[in-house]
Amino acid sequence: MLRLSTLALLAISVPALAQEINVYSHRQPELIQPLVDAFTAETGIKVNVAFVDKGMAERLQAEGDRSPADLVLTVDIARLAQIVEADVVQPVQSAVLEANIPETLRDPNDKWFGLTSRARIVYASKERVQPGEVTTYEDLASEKWKGRICSRSGLNDYNIALLGAMVARNGEEAATKWIEGVKANLARKPEGGDRDQVKAIAAGECDIAIGNTYYIGQMLNDPEQKAAAEAVNLVFPTFVGGGTHLNISGVAMTKSAPNKENALKFMEWLSGDTAQKIYAETNYEYPVKPGVERSALVQSWGEFTPDTTPLADIAKARAAALKIMETVNFDG
Ligand code: FE
């Protein structure tokens, strides 16, 4: 009797073990969990998530063929470009991904796929900045903002991508002048994350800051941060002659993916209606899939014109942007 039931248990547990995938995520575990739970409930496929903060490409290179990872989830186009350059991902051909994700938000060589986008905009004090006072990124270097701008580190990926877009659009010389101008306007040395700049504006330390859209959604939903978020207006600046800077979060399949078939299922699912809605509602990001609605809050921020500088060009300008940021000693 005992032997039979043991066998019965084994018979159940073997196929269950096979239905697993492993994800290395640079994205916050709290954000990924609702997606993972919904996917597992729908498909029975278990998703193990390892949070990898730094050195994603190096880790995958070191692990080589023995890597347990099937997929990488990350923010920022340059990070996606880095893992492609490190040759640790494989191209994925999928009619579902092609149908769900606009061409401009995926790699022409099918090695990375955007899952959400976010705009990098200006948080402006409701009290001290009038509507219409900021309209372009270029204007942040103008003298009228002297001592009025707060910023996180210039070396942060989001800021490097914004400066990279400036390099791609206007060249290195103009980009250098611009970031020097912004630095000259700082109210304090760069510190903290985007949310800390909102808090600094609310506390009267500065009047404007550059930050990502979704952080305001997160803050408005946090009783401790709500008041600070309510002290700022969201301004969607454009590049002169261009649009508002966008970045993405995305997914790539590792070269060594041991569970390729199920990993592809998860990738496709992440680009579909259920996941896109979760991204929109729980993290206030812009869904990439046409037709999936933005959250009501994000809709209230209004429409804007996304800049058309190709993401690949922004990634290519990363090295130049990093060098400029170090040369002007933005954080110093
Ligand atoms: Fe972020």
Side-chain angles (χ1 to χ4, degrees):
M1 262 322 270
L2 184 67
R3 221 169 144 189
L4 259 178
S5 61
T6 309
L7 274 175
L9 270 176
L10 273 176
I12 294 163
S13 64
V14 168
L17 267 177
Q19 297 287 306
E20 275 190 13
I21 60 168
N22 302 309
V23 174
Y24 282 2
S25 174
H26 179 256
R27 305 217 65 187
Q28 300 299 322
E30 314 85 74
L31 170 67
I32 296 310
Q33 206 51 49
L35 293 160
V36 161
D37 291 345
F39 175 72
T40 303
E42 207 176 299
T43 62
I45 301 166
K46 194 178 166 214
V47 182
N48 306 307
V49 182
F51 182 62
V52 179
D53 187 27
K54 289 208 165 82
M56 183 77 79
E58 292 78 0
R59 177 161 171 180
L60 288 167
Q61 273 175 329
E63 289 174 351
D65 289 345
R66 292 165 290 112
S67 177
D70 296 294
L71 299 175
V72 173
L73 279 175
T74 185
V75 293
D76 187 51
I77 180 57
R79 280 179 188 268
L80 288 165
Q82 270 166 7
I83 55 174
V84 170
E85 266 166 47
D87 200 21
V88 291
V89 298
Q90 62 176 307
V92 171
Q93 268 87 37
S94 155
V96 174
L97 291 174
E98 277 177 31
N100 287 349
I101 305 170
E103 216 174 339
T104 51
L105 299 178
R106 50 184 160 87
D107 179 24
N109 300 314
D110 300 320
K111 289 188 175 175
W112 55 260
F113 297 84
L115 293 172
T116 63
S117 71
R118 59 279 295 287
R120 193 144 184 82
I121 57 157
V122 165
Y123 310 140
S125 162
K126 280 183 184 168
E127 269 179 23
R128 300 180 299 279
V129 180
Q130 297 311 306
E133 265 194 274
V134 195
T135 54
T136 67
Y137 294 105
E138 284 84 348
D139 180 61
L140 300 177
S142 115
E143 237 177 62
K144 75 174 177 201
W145 300 114
K146 201 159 195 70
R148 299 173 68 190
I149 301 180
C150 280
S151 179
R152 76 190 299 168
S153 167
L155 301 175
N156 169 264
D157 287 327
Y158 303 147
N159 281 340
I160 292 294
L162 176 61
L163 184 60
M166 194 65 96
V167 169
R169 293 184 56 84
N170 302 332
E172 288 184 34
E173 209 183 307
T176 306
K177 268 205 184 114
W178 174 69
I179 201 66
E180 272 173 349
V182 176
K183 187 194 173 189
N185 289 338
L186 292 180
R188 60 176 191 181
K189 274 194 186 184
E191 62 174 68
D194 285 357
R195 276 169 286 210
D196 296 303
Q197 317 315 317
V198 177
K199 290 173 194 165
I201 293 171
E205 277 188 75
C206 44
D207 298 342
I208 58 173
I210 298 172
N212 287 353
T213 40
Y214 56 88
Y215 286 117
I216 297 295
Q218 293 176 358
M219 292 181 79
L220 288 170
N221 257 290
D222 177 342
E224 279 175 25
Q225 301 184 75
K226 189 168 186 266
E230 282 172 342
V232 302
N233 281 318
L234 301 196
V235 179
F236 288 72
T238 64
F239 292 107
V240 172
T244 299
H245 173 65
L246 284 188
N247 207 327
I248 57 169
S249 80
V251 63
M253 186 183 284
T254 66
K255 213 172 188 177
S256 58
N259 308 293
K260 207 173 154 178
E261 205 177 305
N262 284 335
L264 177 60
K265 276 186 199 159
F266 189 48
M267 282 176 96
E268 291 178 340
W269 185 86
L270 287 173
S271 73
D273 289 303
T274 307
Q276 290 288 300
K277 191 93 191 133
I278 293 174
Y279 276 124
E281 293 293 337
T282 64
N283 203 41
Y284 312 102
E285 293 182 82
Y286 293 94
V288 292
K289 187 179 179 211
V292 177
E293 273 197 6
R294 300 168 180 183
S295 77
L297 176 68
V298 174
Q299 283 183 40
S300 78
W301 297 338
E303 292 302 315
F304 65 97
T305 307
D307 191 47
T308 52
T309 308
L311 287 166
D313 291 0
I314 295 174
K316 257 183 241 153
R318 178 182 164 83
L322 199 58
K323 199 167 157 236
I324 291 169
M325 212 53 110
E326 283 167 356
T327 307
V328 307
N329 191 20
F330 189 83
D331 291 354

